[in-house]
Amino acid sequence: MTASPPSASTDATNGHAPDSGSSPKKDDTPDPRAQQLARIYALLRLTLVITIVVMLIWVVGDVLMVIFAATLVAVILHNLAGLLERRTHMPYWLSLTAVVVVIIGALTGLIWSSGPEISEQALKLRTALSEQAHNLRDSMGHSSTGRMILDNLPTTLGGNEQAASSGGFGSLAGSMTGFVSSAFGAAGTLAVILIAGLYFAISPELYVNGMLRLIPHEYRHTSRELLLTAGRTLWAWTAGQALDMTVVGLLSFIGLWCIGVPLALALGVVAGMANFIPYIGAFVGAVPAVLIGLSQGTREGFMVLGLYAAIQFFEGNVMAPLIQRHAVQMPPGLTILSQTIFGTILGIPGLILASPLTAALLATADRATPKLKDDERV
């Protein structure tokens, strides 16, 4: 008679638990204290990175602006050469050479044909603006309100305030003075930007790959996508803004010529170039024309003011929406805020380059961060 195998109950009574064939499971619940320390570490690391970036911008802001301006030039040349390469199937180096030659030839032809006239009008415009500013200051000095305004304006803007150079408009003027009176000066800085931009455009992969090698391996793919996104955004913003500047300059020239305002060509060029700076540039470009118009008479001055108001209305409600469909859409409030911040920190160069820099930052942030779900939206 064979003995039956011991049952589970017998093993249990003997103090031996039945073998389930697996070891006891470990507790996978994360330690709350470790999670809190990880969050604190991430916050401190982010704070340190932001502090270092802010200090670099504050200390070497002018150098960073030169590098960014050269990058913007390289993006323009590279994309123009790419368009020509795709249409003509020429090698890239030959397409880039053709683009540079065409640009230099166009500028040379413009200077050769219209240079003396533009220079003469520019000198007349400067003289006329100086006279108008002197007359305006004299007229303001005869009233109590005008004297109060002059006493609170810095000397760089024609006022009497001497201690305003530590902030506000004074800091902008001081930054501009430092920028112009640097080791190279304005002309040398422009030459450095153009030459560096040309070299960047000749072999962009050399510099981009060099930057990617400095980034840890696990972040290189994401960094590459962000760099490409920033480059595409800068090209889209520049192309759209160039079209906008051309339209504003032509409309200003035609309108001023029809009104009979002198120096219409120079004023149109000023209006078009000033429109590189969104919103603020519209006022900068309109002030000289209004002053010249007022010198011809009150009627002409109001006609010029109405002309520029109509042009800006057309640009803001017709041109800008059409351009933003194919380019970059930037919130107006954020654009003005970025111009204020970069202008205060970096002076005039920061004010000029604030919009393309903000567009690139917005595009990279949009690519790097996840989209909001429907239940997370306001």
Side-chain angles (χ1 to χ4, degrees), residues 290-301:
V290 173
L291 290 177
I292 298 299
L294 289 174
S295 67
Q296 303 297 309
T298 306
R299 176 175 173 271
E300 285 77 5

Side-chain angles (χ1 to χ4, degrees), residues 35-87:
Q35 286 184 326
Q36 185 178 9
L37 289 176
R39 286 195 294 267
I40 294 175
Y41 172 73
L43 181 61
L44 291 176
R45 184 174 58 183
L46 178 62
T47 304
L48 180 61
V49 171
I50 293 175
T51 303
I52 293 174
V53 171
V54 171
M55 291 300 296
L56 284 175
I57 294 175
W58 188 269
V59 175
V60 293
D62 288 344
V63 177
L64 294 178
M65 286 296 100
V66 171
I67 295 175
F68 179 75
T71 303
L72 190 61
V73 172
V75 168
I76 296 172
L77 295 177
H78 175 71
N79 283 275
L80 289 176
L83 289 175
L84 184 61
E85 180 185 12
R86 288 190 294 270
R87 291 183 178 274

Side-chain angles (χ1 to χ4, degrees), residues 70-212:
T71 303
L72 190 61
V73 172
V75 168
I76 296 172
L77 295 177
H78 175 71
N79 283 275
L80 289 176
L83 289 175
L84 184 61
E85 180 185 12
R86 288 190 294 270
R87 291 183 178 274
T88 62
H89 303 288
M90 293 191 304
Y92 174 77
W93 67 269
L94 187 57
S95 300
L96 180 61
T97 303
V99 167
V100 174
V101 169
V102 169
I103 293 176
I104 294 177
L107 292 176
T108 304
L110 178 64
I111 295 174
W112 182 267
S113 61
S114 304
E117 182 182 357
I118 294 176
S119 300
E120 182 181 357
Q121 289 201 12
L123 291 176
K124 290 181 179 179
L125 177 62
R126 179 180 179 182
T127 303
L129 291 178
S130 299
E131 293 177 356
Q132 291 300 315
H134 182 72
N135 294 334
L136 179 62
R137 193 179 190 280
D138 288 342
S139 61
M140 291 177 65
H142 290 88
S143 64
S144 58
T145 304
R147 287 193 296 269
M148 182 184 66
I149 295 175
L150 290 175
D151 290 339
N152 289 276
L153 279 178
T155 54
T156 53
L157 296 179
N160 301 324
E161 179 62 42
Q162 297 289 339
S165 59
S166 59
F169 290 104
S171 63
L172 295 180
S175 300
M176 183 57 181
T177 303
F179 182 77
V180 174
S181 61
S182 60
F184 293 101
T189 303
L190 181 60
V192 169
I193 291 173
L194 295 177
I195 294 174
L198 178 59
Y199 279 113
F200 289 167
I202 291 175
S203 54
E205 67 280 352
L206 174 65
Y207 303 96
V208 175
N209 292 335
M211 291 178 59
L212 291 176

Side-chain angles (χ1 to χ4, degrees), residues 246-258:
T246 303
V247 172
V248 169
L250 286 175
L251 291 178
S252 300
F253 164 66
I254 295 172
L256 293 172
W257 180 76
C258 292

